[in-house]
Amino acid sequence: MISVSNVTVSFGSFNLLDCISFHISEQDKIGLVGKNGAGKSTLMKLITGEQSPTSGSIEMPSGLNIGYLPQIMEHHRGRTVIEEVMTVFDHLRAMEEELESLTAQLGERTDYESASYEALITRLNELNDRLALETGESPLVQAKKVLYGLGFKEDELSRNTETFSQGWNMRIELAKILLSRPDVLLLDEPTNHLDIESIEWFEDYLKGFRGSIMMVSHDRKFLDNVTTRTVEILLGHIHDYKVPYSQYVTLRAERIAQQTAAYENQQRMIEKTEDFINRFRYKPTKSNQVQSRIKALEKLERIEIDETENASINLKFPPAQRSGDVVFKATDITVGYPQKVVFSHADIEIKRGEKVALIGRNGEGKTTLMRVIMKELYPLEGEAKTGHNVSIGYYAQNQEDILDPSETVFGTLDRIAVGDIRTRLRDILGAFLFKGEDIDKRVSVLSGGERARLGMAKLMLSPYNVLALDEPTNHMDIRSKDILKQALKSFDGTLIVVSHDRDFLDGLVDKLYEFRDGKVTEHLGTVADFLRRRKLESLQELERKAPVQEKAPAQPSEGVKEFRKMKAVSKEERKIRNRIDYLEKQISAHEEKMAEIEKILANPGNNDDILDLTREYLEHKRTMDEQTLEWTSLMEQIDN
């Protein structure tokens, strides 16, 4: 169906992809793997036509419908969620309008034997057949099913898209792609912004999908559950395995072992042959044998061992001073913003040495609690305290985006490192897979995974006794995640982590706080224990909640109204003004960054990546727009 033939992608003298060829057949389910920067996203862009190869060709049938979900995309504004998703069905409305027009024309015609009348009849039948094929179920019902599966609630469908975070807008785009009924799905890290339950729904959807799929994902369980074939990009070349990811890992290890054995045997043979040549090169009686062996060596096809990614890496977070027994304690807290309560009446206690996961659908308050822990936000009600001698290292969701794009990898750490740690910067970067010339790369040319690793490396510069990590594995490849997971398992401090990555959490955490429907629930045990319980519970809840979804709650919520009645105006106004001050600083920072990028784009240099700079600019603009909306709302409350 799609043939990639002898494709090369070059940047100067460097070949990112080197004469690769492979075929995507109907109903193939392919996992595309390789380390960050190997060319996975580039290959998808080649297939969609967003990028052209240096040489080679990509062929596919005309009219093939490809649904492509990139890592970063432009989101539409000015429409509600359901309005935006329903744009997928615009072609159906166009067909219905054409059908009405044809019917009216036929009613006025009397030239029943003419060719033009016959052409109208033929077109009418075509439209009827296509509409019958595509409208077996109401478009609105189809749209709501997919949106519910991806985690939206009924009352959220009438909210404008710009009031949602980037992660939720990604879900909107994913819903549109799925509803467009593509022949081929190209998915670049589709689970990065999905919570655990949405991932499970998405898995089931993809298992039943009748077209072809090629996806990049760093969730090995997701790959195992969905894919049946694994294509690896390694040093610009393709290695094709007709098995899911876990089996690919085993087969790849066997292939490397066989290559190593064959290489060692060949090296012994070459050594013996060269020894024979050197010993008898000048003996006339052996001249024929010597010449024969010289020619044999010249013709010999040398065996090379593929690059392995199993180099010994020992990543350890630095030891820190002992904290108090209780690291963080929240008593009966209600948390959110003046215009919206996110969760209420929660009791949370995290003790020294615990490894705790915050899980649940996006928007339920996991990141909001992180901000409370970091004292960036204060509870609307209740009390939240950090313990004695607590030192927190915080990795925010947007950590990789706030790195200075003009700085080098090494300079990013060198600029903030102090004391003896400066002598260990190269070792720290090496532990995060930045070696050799990698440390001199500009941040602007790094892949998403490389930026995530660099952001994590910054945490190594201080001896924190608490690590608060908000989605640390987004964009990280599987090897990087494994390295980080092992380091966190051996970390002797306290870990608080927000993640939807089941494989990453499995065996790492021993307590979970679930954020759901405005409540926070403690679960003791592993993530596997939680999922077994949640799966059964979810099926029952799905049936109970279905009719309720049609009733949108009053705006603002009763919880917000009650809170406003209970609290004195002065205390509420003080918190609003604190939030306004914070937003103004953030908006100003984004404006400065955007101005810097605009200057570069106006006169780019040879080393400036226009695409990356544009993406970074759009990310700052999206975040600034969201913060400006909140700022405007808060200012209106103050004025009133």
Side-chain angles (χ1 to χ4, degrees):
M1 185 166 55
I2 298 177
S3 292
V4 178
S5 304
N6 301 317
V7 164
T8 295
V9 174
S10 301
F11 298 97
S13 60
F14 170 67
N15 287 343
L16 179 65
L17 300 175
D18 190 4
C19 203
I20 65 169
S21 298
F22 73 101
H23 186 78
I24 301 176
S25 302
E26 292 183 8
Q27 299 187 7
D28 264 347
K29 304 291 188 292
I30 301 171
L32 186 61
V33 302
K35 67 180 183 180
N36 290 125
K40 303 184 295 295
S41 297
T42 298
L43 180 57
M44 288 192 171
K45 291 174 185 175
L46 292 171
I47 293 174
T48 61
E50 288 190 15
Q51 190 170 331
S52 299
T54 306
S55 63
S57 64
I58 298 174
E59 298 178 356
M60 64 189 74
S62 61
L64 190 71
N65 184 7
I66 296 178
Y68 174 45
L69 182 76
Q71 285 186 36
I72 301 175
M73 68 197 74
E74 181 65 54
H75 304 305
H76 298 280
R77 305 169 66 87
R79 285 192 284 255
T80 66
V81 172
I82 193 65
E83 286 171 347
E84 178 62 32
V85 171
M86 288 297 288
T87 60
V88 172
F89 300 106
D90 284 348
H91 68 291
L92 295 182
R93 285 194 288 274
M95 283 195 287
E96 289 171 349
E97 290 172 2
E98 185 181 355
L99 192 65
E100 291 177 4
S101 173
L102 291 175
T103 303
Q105 290 180 51
L106 288 171
E108 298 172 356
R109 299 281 291 265
T110 57
D111 54 334
Y112 308 120
E113 304 298 328
S114 69
S116 61
Y117 188 90
E118 185 177 348
L120 288 176
I121 293 292
T122 301
R123 178 58 179 164
L124 187 74
N125 290 333
E126 287 177 356
L127 288 172
N128 274 319
D129 290 344
R130 286 183 60 188
L131 283 169
L133 184 64
E134 296 197 39
T135 57
E137 188 174 44
S138 160
L140 182 61
V141 171
Q142 293 180 51
K144 285 190 173 184
K145 278 186 178 180
V146 173
L147 288 168
Y148 293 156
L150 291 174
F152 285 92
K153 295 179 179 178
E154 174 67 27
D155 61 291
E156 293 173 329
L157 303 188
S158 57
R159 279 175 50 188
N160 272 25
T161 58
E162 59 264 28
T163 66
F164 288 88
S165 67
Q166 178 189 352
W168 282 98
N169 271 283
M170 187 282 292
R171 297 189 194 206
I172 294 170
E173 295 303 315
L174 179 56
K176 289 165 61 179
I177 290 169
L178 299 182
L179 289 166
S180 69
R181 298 189 178 186
D183 304 304
V184 181
L185 276 173
L186 301 180
L187 306 172
D188 198 348
E189 299 188 19
T191 62
N192 272 357
H193 298 287
L194 299 182
D195 51 54
I196 290 173
E197 292 186 351
S198 297
I199 290 174
E200 290 178 342
W201 175 88
F202 193 35
E203 280 181 1
D204 290 339
Y205 183 95
L206 293 179
K207 287 176 185 176
F209 181 67
R210 295 186 178 181
S212 303
I213 300 171
M214 185 166 75
M215 72 168 73
V216 176
S217 177
H218 302 320
D219 183 337
R220 73 183 73 201
K221 288 186 178 179
F222 186 72
L223 287 172
D224 277 340
N225 290 341
V226 174
T227 66
T228 56
R229 177 181 167 195
T230 303
V231 173
E232 177 191 36
I233 302 180
L234 182 66
L235 293 177
H237 299 290
I238 287 287
H239 298 277
D240 200 342
Y241 298 81
K242 309 299 183 185
V243 294
Y245 181 82
S246 292
Q247 294 179 49
Y248 141 78
V249 172
T250 302
L251 292 177
R252 185 180 188 277
E254 291 175 356
R255 177 171 62 84
I256 296 297
Q258 291 169 358
Q259 280 185 344
T260 302
Y263 173 81
E264 291 173 350
N265 287 335
Q266 188 181 69
Q267 289 301 304
R268 284 193 291 270
M269 182 273 290
I270 291 172
E271 185 179 348
K272 289 180 181 179
T273 303
E274 289 177 340
D275 182 59
F276 179 89
I277 292 170
N278 291 332
R279 286 172 56 198
F280 299 110
R281 183 183 296 274
Y282 303 108
K283 287 194 176 184
T285 57
K286 299 285 189 179
S287 63
N288 289 338
Q289 295 178 49
V290 168
Q291 291 302 315
S292 175
R293 297 192 186 193
I294 289 174
K295 290 179 181 178
L297 282 184
E298 290 174 349
K299 294 179 180 179
L300 181 67
E301 184 175 342
R302 305 291 175 117
I303 296 173
E304 295 182 357
I305 302 175
D306 289 333
E307 177 192 21
T308 60
E309 298 183 354
N310 299 317
S312 177
I313 292 178
N314 184 21
L315 173 60
K316 289 185 178 179
F317 287 92
Q321 291 184 340
R322 181 185 177 96
S323 70
D325 288 340
V326 176
V327 168
F328 175 78
K329 185 170 184 177
T331 305
D332 196 30
I333 60 170
T334 293
V335 176
Y337 308 95
Q339 68 273 32
K340 180 184 179 183
V341 170
V342 181
F343 61 84
S344 59
H345 304 297
D347 294 307
I348 298 165
E349 185 176 65
I350 299 173
K351 296 182 178 179
R352 184 184 66 248
E354 285 187 328
K355 290 182 169 59
V356 180
L358 311 182
I359 61 174
R361 69 194 291 271
N362 291 352
E364 290 282 4
K366 304 184 297 297
T367 297
T368 304
L369 178 62
M370 281 291 204
R371 296 185 59 208
V372 172
I373 293 172
M374 295 306 300
K375 297 182 180 178
E376 292 180 358
L377 184 69
Y378 293 91
L380 301 172
E381 288 182 303
E383 186 177 45
K385 289 184 177 180
T386 52
H388 173 68
N389 198 34
V390 168
S391 172
I392 305 178
Y394 182 40
Y395 179 95
Q397 272 196 52
N398 65 336
Q399 183 71 44
E400 66 271 21
D401 295 323
I402 62 177
L403 298 169
D404 184 351
S406 64
E407 189 60 88
T408 65
V409 169
F410 182 83
T412 297
L413 299 195
D414 187 54
R415 189 159 48 105
I416 59 175
V418 295
D420 294 340
I421 195 74
R422 293 176 66 89
T423 63
R424 298 182 50 239
L425 294 184
R426 291 179 184 273
D427 293 335
I428 292 172
L429 288 170
F432 283 94
L433 311 182
F434 293 105
K435 298 180 180 180
E437 297 178 355
D438 289 343
I439 69 172
D440 296 321
K441 287 182 178 178
R442 298 282 176 189
V443 171
S444 59
V445 304
L446 300 181
S447 68
E450 288 170 325
R451 295 188 190 194
R453 293 204 309 265
L454 182 57
M456 192 62 61
K458 290 173 64 178
L459 290 183
M460 304 287 289
L461 301 185
S462 300
Y464 302 111
N465 54 28
V466 177
L467 293 176
L469 312 179
D470 195 351
E471 300 285 9
T473 62
N474 274 6
H475 305 299
M476 278 193 182
D477 57 39
I478 291 172
R479 185 187 181 217
S480 300
K481 288 198 303 184
D482 286 344
I483 294 169
L484 177 60
K485 180 176 178 178
Q486 293 308 312
L488 293 174
K489 287 175 72 173
S490 61
F491 175 55
D492 59 3
T494 306
L495 173 66
I496 308 167
V497 58
V498 175
S499 180
H500 57 255
D501 189 327
R502 298 160 297 173
D503 186 62
F504 179 72
L505 294 177
D506 191 26
L508 175 61
V509 300
D510 45 29
K511 184 164 80 174
L512 302 93
Y513 282 101
E514 180 193 12
F515 292 70
R516 186 181 182 89
D517 296 330
K519 303 296 180 184
V520 182
T521 307
E522 181 184 84
H523 296 269
L524 299 178
T526 67
V527 69
D529 296 332
F530 166 79
L531 282 177
R532 279 194 292 270
R533 292 193 298 265
R534 204 75 189 97
K535 187 72 171 178
L536 294 172
E537 190 177 346
S538 294
L539 292 174
Q540 297 168 356
E541 288 184 355
L542 184 64
E543 294 176 358
R544 289 199 298 268
K545 286 185 177 180
V548 178
Q549 285 177 330
E550 298 303 321
K551 298 179 181 179
Q555 296 293 332
S557 70
E558 294 302 320
V560 174
K561 289 180 179 178
E562 182 181 353
F563 167 73
R564 287 173 177 167
K565 291 177 183 178
M566 290 173 60
K567 290 298 177 183
V569 173
S570 60
K571 185 176 180 181
E572 180 180 344
E573 184 172 324
R574 185 169 64 253
K575 289 182 178 179
I576 293 175
R577 290 191 183 278
N578 288 340
R579 179 63 180 168
I580 287 172
D581 289 342
Y582 171 77
L583 288 171
E584 287 174 346
K585 291 176 183 177
Q586 291 292 306
I587 291 168
S588 177
H590 286 301
E591 287 176 338
E592 289 177 5
K593 278 290 185 183
M594 289 165 66
E596 291 175 8
I597 295 171
E598 285 173 352
K599 287 181 181 178
I600 299 173
L601 290 174
N603 187 24
N606 293 332
N607 295 325
D608 293 324
D609 190 316
I610 303 301
L611 183 59
D612 278 352
L613 287 170
T614 303
R615 286 175 175 170
E616 184 186 356
Y617 182 91
L618 291 173
E619 286 297 314
H620 282 295
K621 188 175 186 305
R622 286 193 201 101
T623 306
M624 186 184 73
D625 288 346
E626 292 170 3
Q627 291 173 340
T628 302
L629 282 172
E630 183 183 350
W631 179 88
T632 303
S633 175
L634 294 177
M635 288 299 294
E636 288 175 354
Q637 292 184 46
I638 292 293
D639 293 339
N640 294 332

